[in-house]
Amino acid sequence: MAWALDNDRPIYLQLMERIQMDIISGKYPPGGKLPSVRELALDAAVNPNTMQKALSELERSGIVYAQRTSGRFITEDEHMLKELKAQLASEHIKDFLSKLKQLGLKENEILELIEHAIKEDD
């Protein structure tokens, strides 16, 4: 099934974000091998060159590394992965808070809603 991509932002950035999410969620474990560029491109329904660019950027950041003739692998640096998870969570929280403030909610109201949602989820 094709990945949900939009035309508002560069595709390769969206691919990077999706792969990062798959990594920090455990779909691709530390030290694990990523599927080939062609496999990922087919799965995402994008051009292999676009997927190659996304993977190259992930390599540059150190999250992924390549081994000649063996493919690409996820970093085993758990500290880096933990920092990435915290960074992405922080970005999501900031976006979430911004949207709630646009609704006119105050911080104490937001906290009450969050606490209520957590209790409902248990």
Side-chain angles (χ1 to χ4, degrees):
M1 181 164 106
W3 298 358
L5 304 171
D6 60 55
N7 293 325
D8 296 342
R9 298 178 313 123
I11 299 297
Y12 83 95
L13 288 176
Q14 295 177 66
L15 296 173
M16 287 176 60
E17 290 168 356
R18 168 66 185 264
I19 294 168
Q20 286 176 333
M21 290 294 286
D22 287 347
I23 291 169
I24 64 171
S25 70
K27 180 177 180 180
Y28 302 124
K33 187 174 189 229
L34 278 174
S36 72
V37 171
R38 292 199 184 283
E39 288 176 74
L40 286 170
L42 186 62
D43 191 33
V46 298
N47 185 300
N49 292 332
T50 306
M51 184 60 73
Q52 176 64 39
K53 182 173 183 177
L55 292 171
S56 294
E57 289 297 317
L58 289 172
E59 275 184 61
R60 193 179 333 243
S61 71
I63 296 168
V64 170
Y65 65 93
Q67 288 187 337
R68 290 228 186 265
T69 70
S70 296
R72 286 190 173 89
F73 296 83
I74 309 305
T75 183
E76 294 178 25
D77 183 345
E78 302 228 2
H79 179 71
M80 176 189 279
L81 295 174
K82 190 174 183 178
E83 283 183 358
L84 175 62
K85 184 181 268 191
Q87 175 191 351
L88 292 175
S90 179
E91 290 172 12
H92 284 287
I93 290 168
K94 287 176 184 174
D95 289 343
F96 173 71
L97 289 174
S98 174
K99 289 177 183 174
L100 291 179
K101 286 178 181 178
Q102 287 175 358
L103 291 174
L105 294 170
K106 304 284 185 241
E107 287 181 12
N108 63 328
E109 294 171 312
I110 294 170
L111 285 172
E112 287 176 18
L113 289 170
I114 291 171
E115 288 172 353
H116 180 72
I118 288 171
K119 287 177 185 172
E120 282 185 350
D121 195 42
D122 286 340

